Amino acid sequence: MAEQVFKLPDIGEGIAEAEIAEWLVKVGDVIREDDTICEVTTDKATVEIPAAVSGRVTWLGGKTGEVMAIGSELIRIETDASVEVAPASDEKNPEPEVAEEQTAEPAPEEPEPKQESPAPRPRRNGGGTAAPVAARNASGRPLAAPSVRGRARELGVDLRQLRGTGPAGRILHEDLDDFVTHGPDMRQGGGLVRRHGTEEIRVTGVRRKIAERMALAKRRIPHFSIIEEVDVEALEQLRRSLNDRFGADRGRLTVLPFLLRALSEAVVDHPEINAHYDDEADVITRFEALHCGIATQTDSGLMVPVLAHAEARSLWDMAREIKRLSEAARDRRIGPKNLSGSSLTVTSLGPLGALATTPIINHPEVAIVGVNKMVVRPVWDGQSFQPRRMMNLSCSFDHRVVDGYVAAEFVAKIKSLLETPAMLFMEWRDD
């Protein structure tokens, strides 16, 4: 018998440890080379670890939720010739695990000859029928994108209970929604029913890292916030004109690139905002470049990909890069290098945004800019009320580094630039 020991590999510069997010194999399983054996989570990203050889799993090095050091023993695989490894799957061109379901063309459905109308979408394990079985890949794992698997873990749903309605039986977000809505026990009849039971969810993976970082930031940083109302009527007119003229060729612009452009101008006059504070060494590091973190909600939790050198990018370049980074984060394809190095963070809830928020600073940064939803409000122009598009900015600052007066000047500068968007394109500066 030949048994090989494989260690947790180096998964990124500066990463010393990783948490076992999910084992996809168990002792006794026969696997093929390159099958995914587990997913591990760092404070930067979630990474899939492939098998280095084919064989039978004889030992696993840690439990789900356990933090392991890089280089520690991860798995042992028996590679004896007597171990029969299943042949490769017969599926032709299976979809890559990193692809989202929306990018795939749905498989055509063959009509049933004796059915006059399409059959309703099957509900999960209702009416005493046998539980559906999810389609599996060659390693026996349900076919689903990483974002679906991550969301299922957060909901406590075993994907093996679901039948996928996507191509080749792939489990989609809609299948997960259907299962969560209806559950394995179908409701008989209408009306309101009492809900019972509790659920305990272990905080692991990305969610635990988020909890740790937020607790660190609130515990060590004395926050204060400034909320300012901004008239974005002129900005919206400019944005829509640019989209009408150039959108088809260059891509469509959101408000975010304009805000980043304003920030890149504002931090020149207020370098204390674009900085890190090492409160253990008592050192403040100011940055000339604006490396802007873009808070992005994913199925695995909040991630902050970094748009580097915002000060040197055009509006369309920023829009394309923001789209690329956010999609990569949601698909869990983003690497550690794109999740570190931010000097200032922007967070936005989009159309779900409230009237005002109090965002938490991304340690060790000293400020964060929050974007709230845009609404039409009546504004007095001196003679009458006029409908204007208005948007509130909610900015939080580290009071150890940034004084209230300086913060107010910084917010006023952003407001001025956004309300007079032509100033965003001026290349001269006051001496």
Side-chain angles (χ1 to χ4, degrees):
M1 175 187 299
E3 185 179 65
Q4 296 192 34
V5 177
F6 297 95
K7 299 180 178 181
L8 182 60
D10 185 358
I11 53 180
E13 183 178 355
I15 303 298
E17 61 184 18
E19 177 185 330
I20 302 295
E22 181 183 10
W23 280 107
L24 304 174
V25 298
K26 61 182 182 297
V27 173
D29 284 354
V30 176
I31 60 176
R32 297 197 321 273
E33 182 179 358
D34 292 330
D35 281 351
T36 302
I37 57 175
C38 69
E39 292 181 351
V40 299
T41 302
T42 71
D43 58 348
K44 304 298 183 183
T46 298
V47 181
E48 295 184 345
I49 305 297
V53 296
S54 300
R56 179 181 288 109
V57 178
T58 60
W59 179 83
L60 300 178
K63 298 179 180 179
T64 299
E66 183 175 338
V67 177
M68 301 179 63
I70 299 300
S72 57
E73 292 189 7
L74 179 66
I75 191 172
R76 297 176 185 172
I77 300 176
E78 177 186 351
T79 59
D80 189 77
S82 62
V83 177
E84 296 184 5
V85 179
S89 171
D90 292 332
E91 293 181 27
K92 301 299 182 181
N93 300 323
E95 292 187 78
E97 286 293 309
V98 297
E100 280 289 346
E101 300 82 18
Q102 291 84 350
T103 62
E105 291 293 331
E109 298 182 359
E110 296 183 3
E112 297 185 13
K114 295 183 180 181
Q115 188 170 311
E116 296 181 358
S117 60
R121 182 173 180 161
R123 292 187 175 182
R124 311 301 181 216
N125 196 23
T129 59
V133 179
R136 309 293 180 90
N137 59 18
S139 63
R141 183 185 189 188
L143 289 174
S147 60
V148 176
R149 293 200 304 274
R151 184 164 165 242
R153 284 196 299 271
E154 292 183 356
L155 294 171
V157 175
D158 185 350
L159 289 181
R160 291 173 295 182
Q161 301 179 57
L162 280 69
R163 176 178 292 126
T165 60
R170 189 179 186 84
I171 298 173
L172 310 180
H173 281 285
E174 291 83 352
D175 301 319
L176 188 55
D177 291 337
D178 190 21
F179 182 86
V180 170
T181 299
H182 300 295
D185 299 320
M186 299 299 297
R187 181 181 300 176
Q188 301 296 328
L192 301 176
V193 297
R194 292 183 178 181
R195 292 192 290 264
H196 302 279
T198 60
E199 180 183 10
E200 293 185 356
I201 300 175
R202 187 177 180 186
V203 180
T204 61
V206 174
R207 176 53 55 192
R208 184 164 72 180
K209 294 297 182 182
I210 293 172
E212 291 173 352
R213 292 183 66 85
M214 292 299 99
L216 172 69
K218 287 297 289 184
R219 183 174 63 250
R220 296 173 65 167
I221 300 176
H223 286 63
F224 75 97
S225 299
I226 294 179
I227 299 169
E228 181 61 278
E229 187 177 51
V230 181
D231 185 336
V232 292
E233 185 69 33
L235 177 63
E236 273 298 279
Q237 291 178 6
L238 173 61
R239 185 182 70 84
R240 294 184 180 188
S241 296
L242 291 174
N243 281 338
D244 290 342
R245 183 170 181 180
F246 303 110
D249 297 327
R250 302 184 186 181
R252 300 189 67 80
L253 297 172
T254 64
V255 173
L256 199 51
F258 292 91
L259 176 60
L260 266 59
R261 183 70 212 147
L263 290 176
S264 66
E265 290 292 314
V267 296
V268 175
D269 295 330
H270 300 282
E272 56 270 83
I273 304 296
N274 190 36
H276 285 180
Y277 178 36
D278 184 343
D279 52 5
E280 295 182 352
D282 288 329
V283 174
I284 298 172
T285 302
R286 294 180 177 180
F287 298 90
E288 293 187 6
L290 176 59
H291 303 312
C292 198
I294 309 296
T296 304
Q297 186 63 40
T298 74
D299 291 333
S300 300
L302 188 68
M303 303 182 77
V304 187
V306 180
L307 187 149
H309 288 287
E311 80 284 354
R313 296 178 182 267
S314 69
L315 295 176
W316 284 277
D317 186 18
M318 283 192 282
R320 287 189 293 268
E321 184 67 358
I322 291 170
K323 181 180 180 182
R324 183 189 72 82
L325 290 170
S326 60
E327 289 179 350
R330 293 189 182 100
D331 294 348
R332 296 167 71 182
R333 293 183 287 106
I334 194 165
K337 69 177 182 179
N338 291 131
L339 291 169
S340 61
S342 60
S343 57
L344 179 64
T345 294
V346 171
T347 180
S348 171
L349 295 177
L352 295 177
L355 181 66
T357 53
T358 54
I360 298 175
I361 297 168
N362 185 20
H363 182 273
E365 298 167 23
V366 300
I368 185 170
V369 177
V371 182
N372 299 293
K373 66 181 178 181
M374 191 181 301
V375 297
V376 177
R377 298 177 188 149
V379 178
W380 181 255
D381 65 0
Q383 296 181 340
S384 62
F385 284 101
Q386 300 294 332
R388 305 285 291 183
R389 293 183 183 89
M390 308 297 292
M391 182 181 73
N392 287 354
L393 293 180
S394 299
C395 305
S396 296
F397 303 91
D398 186 340
H399 219 328
R400 300 171 300 176
V401 179
V402 183
D403 295 330
Y405 187 83
V406 172
E409 283 188 325
F410 175 72
V411 175
K413 177 69 173 181
I414 300 172
K415 173 183 172 71
S416 175
L417 289 169
L418 294 179
E419 291 186 340
T420 313
M423 299 297 293
L424 296 173
F425 304 97
M426 300 297 291
E427 296 184 356
W428 54 269
R429 303 191 58 81
D430 293 332
D431 293 331

